[in-house]
Amino acid sequence: MTSPFAFLSFRRRRSPLSGAYFVPGDLSGAALFHALAALSADVARHPSLSQCRNARSLVRRIRILAVLFEFLEESFASSPSSPLPPWFPASAALCFRELYIFVYRTKLLLDYCSQSSRLWLLLRNRQISGNFHDLTQELATLLDVLPLDDLRLAADLREQIELLRRQCGRSKLFVDHDDEELCRKIFFFLGQFETGEAPDPAELRDTFVHRLGIRDVRACRTEIEFLEQQISNQEEDMDLPLVSGVIALTRYCRFLLFGFQEMDVKKPFSDQGNTSRKRLLSLGSGSFSLTIPKDFCCPISLDLMKDPVVVSTGQTYDRASITQWMEEGHRTCPNSGLTLTNSRLVPNRALASLISQWCASYGIPYGTPEGGGVPAESTAAACASRAAIEANRATSRILVQQLSAGSQESKTVAACELRLLAKTGKENRSFIAEAGAIPALCRLFRSSNPVAQENAVTAILNISIHDGNKSRIMDEEGCLKLIVYVLRHGLTNEARENAAATLFSLSAVHDFKKMIVDEQGVVVALANLLMQGSSRGKKDAVMALFNLSTHPQSWSRMLDMGAVSALVGALRDECVAEEAAGALALLMRHPVLAQTVGSEDTAITNLVGLLRRGTPKGKENAVAALQEMCRRCGLPVTQKVARMQVLGGLIQTILLTGTKRARRKAALLARMCQRCEGPIATTLGNEWAMNHALARTNSLRDSSFRSGDVSVSVSMARQVPVL
């Protein structure tokens, strides 16, 4: 029969002895001995590949128990479903039910060892050895209370069980000294990296190939993936910096010892089965990750916010990141592009509490700073490993060298690995650029291999997240032109979308916005992606267009190249409507563009539709765009807006339930429309309700608000997960 615990065998990441176990309710009478005999026979055949001595010893004991179970099974062979005979003691039946749990836990532990990576078993050598010893002690206790005198056993079988009981009672904890020596060797290698010294390749080969049995690229990759999943799942009590260092060391060995053999990157990442584009939390400098809510990430650093604060525009950032941003001389909000009228940082205690609760549930170190003005280190910094940083630095040098001088197949693999290294950790992004990866990656943008092109542009995207690298990319001759080339002619959807996201990342720097807008074909390509791309592609395109729209000299090219029409059409798409409305509100500060948009009935209809169905931020952007349109276009367009049948009721709803800025924009729009003849004047009636709302919003108005201000929520981060 199938055990109801079978599903647990798939949870190989979980500690094998954690949790409670119960005997299936239908295992009673003779059926219990049938189940015990089958389960113990299965365990007795288990291969002992790891923890060899402990595993073999425990399996031998299970084989002795299997003889006992088979004897009792034969005693009740007449019918597996029959009850136990009257002479069978109830205490013995209870012991055998506990023995079922013991045998099952033994099976779980053996499965765990056979399915775990070699390095993981080394790092947890003492804990796993303790698990074997605990099971042996548990067996000794069960045999002590088992009433052998009442079971009517054969004499030789009884002698075997009594001998087994004495052996279990005398057993001691055994920790394999060879494994301990190997573990110390791994620590030695990490210590060398920590001091800036690369380990001897001959010693690495002896340890990894001859002693650990990691003999090729595939085995290295399996080890890395297993360790990354352990950190991601947070199922174990582990030393995160240590595990991150072991991952980085193994990755280094993969390329140092085995070169670029078994290169099996065969298809674009957009076609692979892994979940893509998740927000990732960097734990140290290894390329492992943990998916986190995007609202918990700082839009500047992309890391989990340790001390979230609100700036004058209403956007939230991590204190350390926004402080550094302002100290570098920036006077605009990185997310919205609006001017910061003051440098006051207000703690966002509600968000900090939510982040703290989330971290506690995953066992991630997190603490709110004592002083509100002290920059807080991110969780990534708290878990960082110096050894991992240096090992990854050495790996990046090998990869960049291969990217410059290797074969086309080697370059493809090198680009893939650089993409993964650049995905997490500002240190990784920094030293990859310093190693000369940017020009080498750019040369792959025109590759006829879709995998090479996609990896290269994604690596540049991840490198660009580090502010210091943005200038490196823009200063690289021809790099911007090549990014636009991929945006227009990329061989895969993922490559085109990542090129758009790269432009969004680069356009966060105000000085680069004009350069990007003036690059031939960029606006047209972004507009086409916004109109015809996938949901993800549209999101990338609208974020890039929003950033570019914040530059005062961008509006004419945006209008001429079809970006404005694309933004108007995007108002009907829920996934990008919010950002599209924000970009239009910014662009319509220019009267010519406002007149163009206002002359289209579709634009007004779409904005009013967003007022009805949008998110609170989307409604805020929509009402801001309508108010800006009426303000710039005068009476004719205002009359068209005022004639919208549902507008009056929507404005009333926003005046009562909208965000602070949405209420202010709605009140200003209502005042403009009330001067016109239309349904809105009838809906709002006399001006009492509107004046009341105006007074309410004025009392809440911050000195930084201006009638032309627009706020839009745009996520600065886009990451590609480990595949």
Side-chain angles (χ1 to χ4, degrees), residues 230-232 234 236-247 283-284 288 363-365 379 382-385:
Q230 291 299 314
I231 295 174
S232 177
Q234 291 287 300
E236 302 283 356
D237 178 20
M238 68 184 75
D239 185 341
L240 292 178
L242 172 61
V243 179
S244 75
V246 174
I247 290 173
L283 298 174
F288 44 82
I364 299 172
T379 302
C383 299
S385 164

Side-chain angles (χ1 to χ4, degrees), residues 277 279 294 335 461 497 500-505 507-508 513 526 530 535-550 558 567 575-576 579-580 583 712-718:
R277 295 170 179 261
R279 296 286 306 221
K294 71 173 186 176
N335 220 12
L461 164 62
E497 292 164 4
T502 304
L503 293 175
F504 169 70
S505 175
S507 62
K513 294 177 183 178
L526 289 172
L530 179 56
S535 296
R536 295 178 301 182
K538 291 178 180 180
K539 194 75 172 178
D540 293 328
V542 76
M543 290 191 297
L545 289 172
F546 171 83
N547 242 9
L548 297 176
S549 68
T550 62
M558 300 273 277
L567 289 169
C575 74
V576 293
E579 292 85 355
V712 65
S713 174
V714 179
S715 173
M716 294 282 289
R718 255 191 63 309

Side-chain angles (χ1 to χ4, degrees), residues 36-57:
L36 276 169
L39 184 59
S40 58
D42 185 26
V43 173
R45 293 190 297 268
H46 203 287
S48 303
L49 303 177
S50 302
Q51 283 278 338
C52 293
R53 180 166 167 178
N54 282 323
R56 284 197 298 264
S57 177

